[in-house]
Amino acid sequence: HAAGMVAYRYATRKGLSTKVLVAFDLEMPDGLVPVCSDGEVEEFRLMTVDEAVDSIRHSLPLWKPNSALVMLDFAMRNGFISPDEPCFMELARGLPGGLIA
C-alpha cells in the first residue's frame, strides 16, 4: 500500500504543471543492480538514507527535483530527519500534498 505522497508544481512552456507522486517503500534484494533504460536518469547510486539526505542538503543540483522530494518524504516518515531540525516544519507542511514552486 502507499506509504507517502508528494505534490509539487513547476513551470513549463505551456504554463504551470501540477504533479502528485504516490510513494511506496520497497526493500530491494541485495545485489540488485537497477538499469537506466528510459533516459530519465544518468546513473543510480547506492547510498544510505543519511548519505542521501546529506547529498540533497549539499549537492541538490545532482538530484532530479521529484526524486529529492520523494527521498525527503521517506527520510521524514522514517525518522532520519528529526522534528528538531530547523527545516522540519517547513518540509512537513510542504511535502504531503503541499505545493513547491
Side-chain angles (χ1 to χ4, degrees):
H1 73 298
M5 182 183 75
V6 175
Y8 62 99
R9 286 185 181 161
Y10 61 96
T12 70
R13 289 176 296 186
K14 296 180 180 180
L16 200 57
S17 179
T18 301
K19 300 290 183 186
V20 177
L21 303 176
V22 178
F24 296 85
D25 295 347
L26 303 173
E27 188 171 338
M28 306 308 282
D30 288 337
L32 177 81
V33 179
V35 176
C36 304
S37 60
D38 63 5
E40 285 198 23
V41 296
E42 290 179 24
E43 66 180 320
F44 291 100
R45 292 184 190 172
L46 179 62
M47 55 180 68
T48 66
V49 175
D50 289 328
E51 290 170 335
V53 170
D54 187 63
S55 175
I56 291 169
R57 283 187 177 130
H58 301 289
S59 303
L60 183 58
L62 297 177
W63 287 76
K64 285 184 62 182
N66 58 353
S67 298
L69 292 172
V70 170
M71 186 66 236
L72 291 172
D73 172 68
F74 176 87
M76 291 178 69
R77 286 187 289 101
N78 290 281
F80 291 94
I81 298 177
S82 165
D84 297 332
E85 294 195 41
C87 65
F88 186 88
M89 290 308 295
E90 184 178 358
L91 287 172
R93 282 191 299 271
L95 285 177
L99 299 174
I100 297 176

